[in-house]
Amino acid sequence: MVKLIKCIVFFFFLSGSSFSYDVGVYYYPGWTIDAWRVKGDPWMPIKNYPNREPMLGWYDEKNPDVSDRHFYWMNKFGVDYVIYDWYWHGGTEYLEHAIKSFKNSKNNYGLKFSILWANHSGYPKSISDFDRMVSYIVQNYLSDDRYYKINGQPVVYILSPKKFNDFAVSVGVSVSYLLNRAKSIALDGGIDGIYFIGGANALQDELDLVVNGGYSAISAYNYHRGFSGIRDGRKLSASYGELIDGYLESWIWIAKNSKIPYHVPVSAGWDSSPWRRNDNLIYHDGSYGNYIDFRRHLLEARNFMNKYKLKNVVICCWNEFGEGSYIEPTLVDEFKYLEAVNDVFWSMQ
C-alpha cells in the first residue's frame, strides 16, 4: 500500500502539484554473536540502557524472522531503501550477514538496498586489492535487481573521502583515477557505471575532496556540531536540540557551496554512552533524541529539500543502538520515530 501511495504521489509530482522523496536509512550490522568489536553477546553494553531494548528483544540479526520484520516495518512506514554499513579489511569483507539476509529474504516488501563503504575501519593496501574489493562489490551486490540505483547506476556511499584520498596518495594515484577504475570494472561486469556519493561535513576542505574527486553526489553518515559550529569549526552539540540546529546550518552551507547533488542527512540522535571511550567524539545529555524534536528535524529537512529541489533524504540510523541513533521500534518508543518518517515525507504532502 505504501509503495502504491508513493507511485501516486510521484505521478502528481510529475504533474507539477506535489513532490516525491527517496528515503534511505543506514543499517549497522553488529547485532549477532561475535560481531566486530565484541566477542560474545554484542548486546551486553546496551543492556545497561534498558530504554534502548528493541521491540524484538535482544535478537540475533541472522535470524530471518528478524530481518523479515525489519523489512516489513521499513516498507510500512515509508522507507525506500536500506544502506548497509560495509567493511573491507585484510583483503576480504566482513559483517556481510545482514546483506545476505536481505538477499535471501523471501519478501523484501519492495525495498531496495545499497552499501556504505565504511572505509574508516580499514581499506585496501594496494591497487590490486582495491580492484578485488570493487570486483567483489560488483559481482555480489551491484548486479542484484534490488540494488538501489540513480540514473540507472547503482549507488555506493563512501563514508570518508579523506581516508579514501589518503589511500589514493599512498598508492600514487588520484581519487578520480580510482573512481573511474571502479566504474570500468563495473562496466566489464555488465553494470552501467557506479554512482558514488561521498560523505563530508560543512567544511571547505572536505567539500573540495568530494566535488573535485569525481563523486556523483555528497551526503554524510552524521554530523556532530551544534549551531555556529561552522563558524568556529569546533563547537560540538551537547543536546539533541543543538544537534539538529547544527544540521540545518550545515545543510544550508553545503547547498550554497556544492556544485553536485546533495543527499540530505538527518539523525535520530547521538549518545554513545554504551560504547564510551576516550576517543569518543561527543557526549550528549543522556538521551539519544526524542521523537517530537525528531519530527521537527524531519520537517526542516523536507522544507529545505523542497526549497532546493532535492529528493533524497538519508536517516542515521535504523539500529545504531551503541551510538544512540536509531529509529527501529523499541519497547519504550514503539513506532513513534517511524511514524514521524511516514508522516513528514508521505502523509503530509
Side-chain angles (χ1 to χ4, degrees):
M1 178 59 71
V2 171
K3 298 301 179 184
L4 176 60
I5 292 172
K6 290 185 177 185
C7 290
I8 294 172
V9 168
F10 186 64
F11 171 77
F12 282 109
F13 167 63
L14 292 177
S15 301
S17 55
S18 187
F19 199 86
S20 176
Y21 309 97
D22 270 9
V23 180
V25 64
Y26 292 116
Y27 185 106
Y28 170 66
W31 309 113
T32 189
I33 298 299
D34 293 330
W36 179 58
R37 290 187 179 180
V38 180
K39 294 300 181 184
D41 182 4
W43 291 109
M44 285 302 296
I46 318 301
K47 289 178 180 179
N48 295 321
Y49 300 81
N51 62 307
R52 302 190 185 195
E53 182 174 357
M55 185 174 287
L56 298 177
W58 308 111
Y59 56 75
D60 186 333
E61 64 189 345
K62 288 183 179 179
N63 183 337
D65 292 337
V66 169
S67 298
D68 181 78
R69 186 53 40 178
H70 285 171
F71 303 150
Y72 172 75
W73 284 337
M74 289 177 186
N75 170 262
K76 180 179 179 180
F77 290 98
V79 173
D80 294 291
Y81 62 106
V82 54
I83 309 160
Y84 291 101
D85 297 355
W86 186 82
Y87 307 84
W88 180 271
H89 186 63
T92 187
E93 55 73 32
Y94 59 103
L95 291 186
E96 190 187 33
H97 56 273
I99 299 179
K100 289 182 178 178
S101 292
F102 184 97
K103 295 180 66 176
N104 294 332
S105 176
K106 295 180 180 179
N107 191 346
N108 300 118
Y109 301 95
L111 285 171
K112 301 291 185 179
F113 80 101
S114 181
I115 64 170
L116 167 82
W117 177 25
N119 63 326
H120 66 305
S121 64
Y123 45 83
K125 301 303 181 183
S126 64
I127 292 181
S128 60
D129 191 21
F130 176 78
D131 289 348
R132 284 193 296 273
M133 182 189 76
V134 175
S135 295
Y136 186 91
I137 291 171
V138 169
Q139 294 168 14
N140 289 277
Y141 312 136
L142 307 193
S143 58
D144 194 299
D145 291 338
R146 295 162 296 182
Y147 198 91
Y148 179 63
K149 296 179 180 179
I150 294 177
N151 300 330
Q153 297 182 336
V155 174
V156 173
Y157 292 80
I158 296 180
L159 179 69
S160 176
K162 181 181 184 305
K163 288 196 175 291
F164 191 36
N165 184 71
D166 291 344
F167 164 65
V169 171
S170 73
V171 294
V173 298
S174 67
V175 167
S176 59
Y177 170 84
L178 291 173
L179 293 182
N180 287 329
R181 190 178 182 93
K183 293 174 184 178
S184 295
I185 293 173
L187 288 171
D188 290 342
I191 306 298
D192 188 19
I194 303 175
Y195 192 97
F196 284 107
I197 301 177
N201 286 286
L203 296 169
Q204 193 64 54
D205 58 341
E206 293 190 20
L207 183 65
D208 289 344
L209 284 175
V210 177
V211 173
N212 300 329
Y215 294 83
S216 300
I218 186 171
S219 190
Y221 196 69
N222 51 26
Y223 300 140
H224 291 284
R225 291 176 301 179
F227 187 76
S228 82
I230 291 175
R231 288 191 290 275
D232 62 34
R234 295 292 178 183
K235 183 179 179 182
L236 301 178
S237 57
S239 69
Y240 185 59
E242 288 185 12
L243 182 69
I244 62 178
D245 288 342
Y247 264 75
L248 178 58
E249 188 178 38
S250 294
W251 296 336
I252 294 171
W253 187 91
I254 288 176
K256 290 181 177 180
N257 290 277
S258 176
K259 300 177 182 178
I260 58 177
Y262 188 24
H263 287 219
V264 180
V266 299
S267 173
W270 176 273
D271 178 4
S272 60
S273 299
W275 288 346
R276 182 173 292 173
R277 298 174 308 208
N278 291 333
D279 63 348
N280 190 31
L281 293 173
I282 179 174
Y283 303 109
H284 277 186
D285 56 3
S287 174
Y288 78 97
N290 65 73
Y291 60 87
I292 296 175
D293 280 345
F294 180 62
R295 186 178 184 279
R296 173 171 72 87
H297 182 40
L298 297 183
L299 281 169
E300 290 176 347
R302 190 192 68 180
N303 293 338
F304 168 80
M305 293 164 67
N306 289 349
K307 178 178 179 180
Y308 288 95
K309 296 181 172 57
L310 303 171
K311 67 170 293 184
N312 291 89
V313 60
V314 188
I315 303 169
C316 184
C317 301
W318 178 257
N319 60 348
E320 282 277 19
F321 292 103
E323 294 181 349
S325 185
Y326 50 90
I327 62 172
E328 178 181 341
T330 62
L331 294 177
V332 173
D333 291 313
E334 299 180 323
F335 294 96
K336 292 183 176 68
Y337 283 83
L338 285 175
E339 288 168 350
V341 173
N342 186 67
D343 182 31
V344 169
F345 288 108
W346 302 113
S347 298
M348 294 180 61
Q349 298 187 79

